[in-house]
Amino acid sequence: MSSEGPVVFDPADFGAIPSSRSLRQWMRTTRRRHADRSFWQIFEDVYLVVFTLAMVGATGGNVVHHLNSSAARCTSSTCGELTLWMPWIVVPLLLATTIRMLLAVGPVSASRATGFWLLATPVNRAALLRPTYRLVVAVVAVTGFVVAGIVWALLGTVWIGFLEAAVLIAALLVCAGIATVWAQQSARRSRWTLRIADLLLIAAVVPAVVLALRPDPLRGAQIANVVVTGFDTNLVDEYDHAVAARLMFTSVETHFLLLAAVVVILAVALVVVTSQTLDKLSRNSVIAGGELLAGLAGAASSLDISMLGDVIAGRHWRMKGRVRSHRGRGSRGGAIVHREFRRVLRWPRRLIIGFALLVVPYAVSGAGFGALVPVAAGFAGFIAVRPMLDGLRSVCRSTGLTRALGMDLRELRVIMAVVPGFFAALWTGLASPAIGSGAATFAVAAGILSGAVRQASARPPSYAGPLVASPMGAIPPGLFSQPARGFDLLLVCMAPVLLNLSGTWVVAIPAVILAVMFSIRPKTD
């Protein structure tokens, strides 16, 4: 502030404020002047990406088409109930996942350089953020269309129902994405939106449990084998095609198509209206999402799955800022167990997500794939338990913190696995009606705990030794084992269940793996 009064911006002194379009055009021109790659080099990279997507799409589309044909020929009561209940499981699950993932990264985000050089200028912020916003909407729409199409194709739906369901769910996910943009404008809105996502996760659990615990209509029934001879199967095929053609557009299909059209129009209107309110987004929230994406990209480049969770957890605690302190209890190991329990309770949404993942084994069991229930329960339980071992990961990655606690690292690993072990036992106990026998439930719980503890206590990736040549460039050999850490013990513990061994082996092998793992001191170098 000067002696004459406050400084007032005068366009005559600095020039008129440029529009965002002209500013982006100037940046594009400047970037092209400093480009160090030719057109053919860029074309080669684009060609490889397009060719890879085409190959994956053709292979995956052929598999989905085959599964769709197989599911369409299923006429049992199980297939009918699965088709009836699966939408009530998939739609809330997709909505909750979309909301949580978008709120974790923004959804509208920008790099720190963009936030410092562009968003701090008097140029219209809404116009600067609009390209990123449109990209988010497009990614959500395409992802929702593909995922919904695959799910409905696996249910044996005809192509009309497949397209209608895919368009409707894609539009619903776009509306959910628009809601996250609205919620990003204030912390209070973000909290309430996350609570709605938690309710959607719980809503997905209820029909999955109903589907898994339904009574089997064929249990106790006597089935008679009847042989029909002298029947022309060509007449049956012609009749089936005629019936399918007549039922192509029923009243239900027409109402569903109208509903999809209304939701699409609503989604387009919300996209246009929300794009005009992007100037209400704070610069801090936009930059925080960009930093999170940069951290996730760095963690993905090192193939360290645990680092992905560390980046997300770090952003959560930075946004939270402070917590309410509580007095500790006990001494030595008991005090650490108490503090770990309090630390887990400070992020209750992780518990909600963990219990919501119970939908996975019950949905697989309700779908009639009984042999795959232990595998589905193992991986879902692993995802639910692993976030509770952040304390163990911090101790294993910090030698100074281990010395400050005054205990050996092997003892600390046992102590810090008490709370996650209790949650793993509770989770598998709730999933036991879908898993089946008690021995299989114990094997799944042991696999979840041993795999999560191994991944959390694993040492950092090693960059020592010669590099390995690959089409992506030179890669350190220590990176190849990073993604498999934790999942290897999970699969070994569930191997007796998958191989249908006796109950003694199903219990003995996971018990031995747990005993050996907790008796060995984790490596830190």
Side-chain angles (χ1 to χ4, degrees):
M1 182 178 294
S2 62
S3 58
E4 291 87 6
V7 177
V8 180
F9 176 78
D10 188 2
D13 299 332
F14 302 96
I17 299 175
S19 63
S20 62
R21 184 185 299 274
S22 60
L23 181 60
R24 287 197 300 268
Q25 181 65 32
W26 175 80
M27 293 173 59
R28 191 179 300 111
T29 304
T30 305
R31 190 183 300 115
R32 289 174 179 174
R33 288 176 182 173
H34 296 82
D36 56 353
R37 302 182 66 189
S38 63
F39 171 79
W40 291 108
Q41 290 177 333
I42 299 176
F43 178 77
E44 289 178 0
D45 295 341
V46 173
Y47 172 76
L48 288 177
V49 173
V50 173
F51 181 77
T52 302
L53 292 178
M55 291 295 294
V56 172
T59 306
N62 188 23
V63 173
V64 171
H65 177 70
H66 176 71
L67 294 176
N68 176 263
S69 302
S70 301
R73 290 192 296 267
C74 181
T75 57
S76 63
S77 60
T78 302
C79 294
E81 292 185 358
L82 181 64
T83 306
L84 177 64
W85 286 101
M86 190 57 68
W88 299 101
I89 301 174
V90 173
V91 174
L93 198 60
L94 288 177
L95 289 174
T97 304
T98 302
I99 291 174
R100 294 196 60 84
M101 291 183 64
L102 290 180
L103 280 180
V105 298
V108 180
S109 59
S111 63
R112 179 170 289 276
T114 302
F116 180 81
W117 293 105
L118 296 181
L119 299 184
T121 62
V123 181
N124 186 7
R125 180 176 298 180
L128 290 174
L129 296 176
R130 200 164 289 137
T132 305
Y133 167 75
R134 292 170 181 169
L135 178 62
V136 171
V137 172
V139 170
V140 170
V142 173
T143 305
F145 184 87
V146 173
V147 173
I150 292 175
V151 172
W152 257 255
L154 295 179
L155 294 177
T157 310
V158 295
W159 68 274
I160 292 294
F162 157 80
L163 291 177
E164 291 176 349
V167 171
L168 177 60
I169 293 181
L172 288 176
L173 294 184
V174 169
C175 293
I178 300 305
T180 58
V181 176
W182 172 80
Q184 187 185 1
Q185 298 175 5
S186 67
R188 185 171 180 271
R189 293 177 183 178
S190 299
R191 288 193 298 268
W192 278 104
T193 307
L194 288 175
R195 291 169 185 171
I196 294 175
D198 296 338
L199 293 177
L200 288 172
L201 285 176
I202 297 174
V205 175
V206 177
V209 174
V210 173
L211 180 63
L213 299 182
R214 77 192 191 285
D216 190 357
L218 299 179
R219 183 175 300 172
Q222 297 181 356
I223 301 176
N225 294 327
V226 181
V227 179
V228 180
T229 60
F231 198 82
D232 191 358
T233 57
N234 293 328
L235 296 177
V236 176
D237 293 337
E238 293 177 1
Y239 177 77
D240 289 340
H241 289 300
V243 172
R246 287 197 304 267
L247 298 179
M248 186 69 71
F249 283 95
T250 61
S251 60
V252 177
E253 295 285 344
T254 304
H255 294 161
F256 199 75
L257 183 61
L258 292 176
L259 177 62
V262 170
V263 176
V264 168
I265 294 174
L266 177 62
V268 172
L270 289 177
V271 167
V272 174
V273 172
T274 309
S275 64
Q276 306 299 324
T277 63
L278 296 179
D279 54 345
K280 297 181 181 179
L281 297 175
S282 64
R283 189 169 53 149
N284 292 334
S285 65
V286 174
I287 295 176
E291 291 180 343
L292 177 62
L293 289 177
L296 292 177
S301 64
S302 63
L303 301 180
D304 193 350
I305 301 177
S306 297
M307 192 180 294
L308 296 173
D310 294 343
V311 173
I312 296 175
R315 181 178 184 270
H316 168 78
W317 293 118
R318 285 195 301 270
M319 297 293 290
K320 193 175 184 63
R322 61 185 179 86
V323 295
R324 181 180 178 184
S325 61
H326 295 272
R327 183 179 297 275
R329 296 181 181 179
S331 60
R332 292 184 62 81
I336 296 177
V337 171
H338 178 261
R339 297 313 301 175
E340 285 295 299
F341 181 74
R342 296 298 313 180
R343 184 184 59 79
V344 171
L345 292 182
R346 282 176 174 172
W347 200 343
R349 188 162 285 110
R350 283 183 168 182
L351 296 175
I352 297 175
I353 296 175
F355 284 113
L357 286 172
L358 287 169
V359 67
V360 176
Y362 282 104
V364 175
S365 176
F369 304 103
L372 299 179
V373 171
V375 178
F379 282 96
F382 182 91
I383 297 173
V385 174
R386 175 58 188 86
M388 301 180 185
L389 288 161
D390 289 344
L392 176 61
R393 177 171 171 81
S394 300
V395 170
C396 292
R397 293 293 177 96
S398 175
T399 306
L401 183 58
T402 304
R403 292 174 180 174
L405 292 175
M407 303 176 69
D408 185 69
L409 189 57
R410 182 182 63 83
E411 300 178 56
L412 288 174
R413 181 162 71 170
V414 175
I415 292 171
M416 290 188 170
V418 172
V419 176
F422 171 76
F423 181 79
L426 178 61
W427 195 93
T428 52
L430 294 175
S432 59
I435 297 175
S437 63
T441 303
F442 172 78
V444 172
I448 291 172
L449 181 61
S450 60
V453 171
R454 170 171 164 75
Q455 189 182 91
S457 59
R459 55 183 174 179
S462 175
Y463 296 94
L467 301 178
V468 178
S470 70
M472 299 177 292
I475 299 178
L479 293 181
F480 290 106
S481 61
Q482 283 294 118
R485 288 182 179 177
F487 297 105
D488 49 1
L489 290 186
L490 175 63
L491 293 176
V492 170
C493 289
M494 292 191 301
V497 182
L498 299 178
L499 296 176
N500 199 20
L501 300 181
S502 62
T504 303
W505 291 106
V506 170
V507 175
I509 293 178
V512 170
I513 291 176
L514 277 177
V516 172
M517 186 192 63
F518 283 113
S519 63
I520 298 176
R521 188 181 188 275
K523 298 179 180 180
T524 57
D525 52 359

